[in-house]
Amino acid sequence: MSDADQPDREEDMILAGEYALGLLSADEAAAFEARLSREPELRAHYAAWAEDFARLAEEAPPETPPTNVLAEIRTRLFRQERPPSLLARIGWPRIAVGLGAVAVLAAVVFVNSNVFDPGPVRPLDPGFVAQVEAEDGSLVVSAAYDTVSGALFVDRQTGAARPGRDLELWLLAGEDPPVSLGVLPDASRVELPVPDDLRERLQDGVLAISDEPEGGSPTGQPTGDVLAAGPITNT
Amino acid sequence: MESKDEIEAQIARVATGDRDAFQRLYSSVSAKLFGVLLRVLNDRAEAEDALQNVFVKIWHKAGSYRANGLSPMTWLITIARNEAIDRLRRRRRQGEGMDEAALVADASPGPEETVMQKSDRSRLLACFEELEAARAEAVRRAYLQGETYAELAERFDVPLNTMRTWLRRSLLKLRECLSR
């Protein structure tokens, strides 16, 4: 190891510390992770910091969690049952029916019946994307927002509405009540227009899909089980 | 607390889909991880919720444990810490402001700690002591509260680049001290 390598090694050591503390930007962190997979020395730097900083967390005295927590974890992992309130778990309180009724949006969905038309296609350069998934993988929907057209391309890859029911897509932004983005059609792919006032709220939001009566929620808020959810991320 | 080797063996079995091993791992480490979540989140209901997510992640990620070179307890604590930090940052984005209460320095050891962990930690704390108080505090806040460079700069009332320089120098000093 020549002296010329020293500054780089020092820089990598510091960079690994910044990564372990969560101080890098998303881009920097992604670049660091890409290097981690192929640079053992960098992995060693990171591991050293992770070990040291974990001791800080260990200042916290251990505390036995309530007994129901393990049962709930087992339900989430090992049973096919739907979790009771995915919305609550991802941090958005379920709003009582009626409270959010002002947010009712008409869910206009155009079902394309022409079998020769490939239907909507995923935007080439989406501004935001989301993977909306059920815990057990029974419903998987990929969404991509086209900043130019203002439309949300939605591709239902796995799962479907139950007979006589519909799947409804919701935007959860901040602490506001969920806002409907529309009912998913029978066709697996659809483009849903996103109203102007919602576009800037996609960032940092969450998409969720609920089980609703045919035609969508009668109240403007989710009434059935929340089947799937996924965060909206920048591309 | 089980030994390091026992926890490592439990993680290895969890990676094969062994539900009994998962339950044993939960018995071994849930109190420790719940303590970490309570410390960072300072909210019991949210810590319970976070603990569920942590163990769901442990179940799914157990197979990748060996690749990262961390000791088993550090791997588990890092998953818990990251889950808690994600939640704190989301809370702050939603405008609840900084969570002040959770960062009282408390070095009292947990009852179940091993001698090994204690000596590691006293070494770390001794090295923190060698930093200026404000700079040590900045490192702790980044790790335990997920504060960003911008938030730290505002808290310590210095320009962003100054904060970055401080913190990076502190990391250098810490590593020098820890390598002694």
Side-chain angles (χ1 to χ4, degrees):
Chain A
M1 191 64 59
S2 72
D3 286 351
D5 291 325
Q6 280 308 113
D8 284 347
R9 292 188 58 199
E10 192 172 287
E11 172 58 30
D12 279 353
M13 182 275 288
I14 294 173
L15 190 68
E18 289 179 289
Y19 175 78
L21 290 174
L23 287 169
L24 298 181
S25 70
D27 287 349
E28 290 166 337
F32 183 85
E33 282 164 9
R35 285 185 59 203
L36 261 192
S37 60
R38 52 175 195 265
E39 294 181 37
E41 201 169 343
L42 199 62
R43 276 206 296 283
H45 282 309
Y46 165 67
W49 285 120
E51 296 293 340
D52 290 331
F53 291 142
R55 305 289 86 76
L56 282 183
E58 283 181 319
E59 287 173 8
E63 183 150 340
T64 304
T67 49
N68 64 315
V69 175
L70 177 60
E72 292 191 25
I73 293 166
R74 294 181 63 92
T75 300
R76 278 174 64 182
L77 285 176
F78 306 141
R79 297 206 191 124
Q80 296 301 303
E81 290 167 14
R82 293 177 187 129
S85 171
L86 195 48
L87 277 179
R89 247 186 320 101
I90 54 183
W92 277 265
R94 195 143 179 178
I95 308 299
V97 171
L99 264 184
V102 285
V104 176
L105 274 181
V108 184
V109 169
F110 177 71
V111 181
N112 194 329
S113 57
N114 184 343
V115 292
F116 296 105
D117 185 330
V121 292
R122 189 180 178 84
L124 285 177
D125 184 20
F128 300 105
V129 295
Q131 191 73 2
V132 190
E133 293 186 342
E135 295 283 356
D136 61 4
S138 61
L139 179 63
V140 179
V141 170
S142 164
Y145 175 70
D146 186 338
T147 319
V148 179
S149 70
L152 186 68
F153 167 81
V154 178
D155 183 6
R156 181 166 48 79
Q157 296 164 337
T158 305
R162 291 190 286 140
R165 305 283 291 177
D166 266 329
L167 298 174
E168 190 160 3
L169 182 68
W170 304 89
L171 170 65
L172 308 157
E175 296 192 346
D176 297 336
V179 179
S180 176
L181 292 171
V183 173
L184 300 187
D186 292 336
S188 62
R189 295 171 159 206
V190 66
E191 262 176 12
L192 301 172
V194 178
D196 286 347
D197 56 330
L198 290 183
R199 292 177 185 178
E200 62 188 36
R201 303 177 58 203
L202 290 171
Q203 184 150 24
D204 295 334
V206 167
L207 292 181
I209 295 172
S210 67
D211 169 54
E212 297 296 339
E214 235 168 339
S217 164
T219 68
Q221 286 294 295
T223 60
D225 290 333
V226 177
L227 304 177
I232 299 172
T233 51
N234 265 310
T235 51
Chain B
M1 180 69 62
E2 316 276 326
S3 78
K4 179 185 166 189
D5 287 350
E6 282 166 324
I7 293 172
E8 197 150 60
Q10 284 166 354
I11 293 173
R13 280 194 290 272
V14 169
T16 68
D18 183 336
R19 295 180 184 186
D20 293 335
F22 182 71
Q23 184 133 357
R24 286 197 299 279
L25 181 65
Y26 183 90
S27 306
S28 307
V29 302
S30 59
K32 182 124 193 164
L33 300 185
F34 191 49
V36 171
L37 293 167
L38 279 172
R39 165 58 53 90
V40 176
L41 290 166
N42 200 30
D43 177 315
R44 183 161 277 274
E46 191 167 18
E48 288 174 21
D49 208 40
L51 188 65
Q52 286 193 31
N53 280 0
V54 167
F55 274 91
V56 167
K57 284 179 185 163
I58 290 170
W59 173 260
H60 291 303
K61 289 171 133 186
S64 64
Y65 158 65
R66 283 200 174 276
N68 58 46
L70 303 183
S71 70
M73 212 55 230
T74 293
W75 183 70
L76 296 165
I77 286 172
T78 303
I79 292 174
R81 179 263 179 185
N82 289 347
E83 167 76 22
I85 293 307
D86 285 347
R87 283 165 178 263
L88 273 191
R89 286 181 171 172
R90 198 185 301 153
R91 215 194 268 173
R92 288 206 286 268
R93 277 205 302 273
Q94 290 171 6
E96 280 191 28
M98 304 272 187
D99 195 349
E100 297 293 344
L103 205 80
V104 184
D106 172 9
S108 63
E112 300 163 65
E113 264 188 327
T114 64
V115 175
M116 178 68 188
Q117 283 165 335
K118 250 182 223 161
S119 73
D120 281 356
R121 201 176 65 219
S122 36
R123 192 170 59 103
L124 179 73
L125 294 180
C127 289
F128 266 85
E129 290 282 309
E130 291 189 13
L131 300 177
E132 274 176 49
R135 300 187 185 193
E137 173 77 357
V139 176
R140 295 172 61 88
R141 284 195 168 271
Y143 188 74
L144 291 172
Q145 297 288 284
E147 290 189 10
T148 62
Y149 274 133
E151 286 164 337
L152 291 168
E154 195 182 333
R155 174 180 300 282
F156 292 97
D157 198 22
V158 294
L160 186 65
N161 279 335
T162 306
M163 190 67 238
R164 196 187 304 267
T165 305
W166 271 21
L167 208 135
R168 290 170 54 88
R169 275 195 200 136
S170 300
L171 288 172
L172 188 59
K173 279 189 182 167
L174 272 178
R175 179 52 68 222
E176 277 168 7
C177 171
L178 288 160
S179 314
R180 266 178 229 151

